[in-house]
């Protein structure tokens, strides 16, 4: 594959992965009460501060990935963020029925996103 095609694919991949986190982080600022309550219900201390700092982190790391600014570190940071957010908020093990099935699908999607971030990390090294 020509180098130009690889560069385009590399950028589009970073744009899609990083953009997911940028948009998600911005969205959190419009849904603070609900997410803060969910974190507090799971025993997270200073839930609002944790949510705000995590949202800022995911926006900045997403932008870094998109712009190619230390993309390996940005991607690894987003892996850690995704794992932590999944454990805190995507708790399928506490659910039953259709809610559990839907939440398991979210976990699977998050695992696929982590896979993409690991590929981005490997490509960046």
């Amino acid at each position: 594959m020509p180098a130009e095609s690889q560069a385009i694919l590399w950028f589009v991949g970073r744009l899609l992965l990083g953009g997911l986190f940028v948009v998600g982080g911005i969205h959190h600022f419009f849904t603070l009460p609900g997410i803060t309550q969910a974190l507090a219900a799971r025993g997270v201390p200073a839930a609002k501060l944790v949510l705000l700092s995590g949202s800022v982190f995911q926006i900045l790391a997403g932008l870094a990935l998109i712009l190619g600014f230390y993309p390996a570190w940005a991607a690894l940071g987003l892996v850690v963020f995704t794992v932590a957010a999944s454990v805190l908020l995507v708790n399928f093990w506490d659910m039953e029925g259709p809610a559990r099935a839907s939440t398991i699908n979210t976990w699977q999607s998050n695992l696929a996103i982590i896979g993409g971030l690991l590929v981005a990390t490997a490509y960046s090294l």
Side-chain angles (χ1 to χ4, degrees):
M1 177 177 287
E4 184 177 299
S5 297
Q6 285 180 323
I8 291 169
L9 291 172
W10 172 225
F11 174 73
V12 171
R14 291 189 342 253
L15 178 65
L16 293 172
L17 272 173
L20 176 74
F21 289 95
V22 171
V23 170
I26 291 169
H27 178 72
H28 290 164
F29 290 100
F30 296 98
T31 58
L32 281 174
I35 302 173
T36 300
Q37 287 176 351
L39 288 170
R42 286 171 179 74
V44 175
K48 187 172 184 178
L49 179 62
V50 169
L51 174 59
L52 291 172
S53 59
S55 297
V56 169
F57 173 80
Q58 81 178 104
I59 292 167
L60 293 176
L63 286 171
L65 184 59
I66 291 168
L67 299 173
F69 183 75
Y70 294 102
W73 289 109
L76 285 174
L78 290 169
V79 166
V80 172
F81 174 86
T82 303
V83 169
S86 296
V87 169
L88 287 173
L89 295 170
V90 190
N91 56 328
F92 67 87
W93 49 88
D94 289 336
M95 300 177 178
E96 295 180 15
R100 179 182 172 94
S102 175
T103 307
I104 288 172
N105 285 337
T106 301
W107 252 100
Q108 291 170 332
S109 295
N110 287 356
L111 289 174
I113 291 165
I114 290 168
L117 290 166
L118 291 174
V119 169
T121 301
Y123 190 84
S124 300
L125 295 176

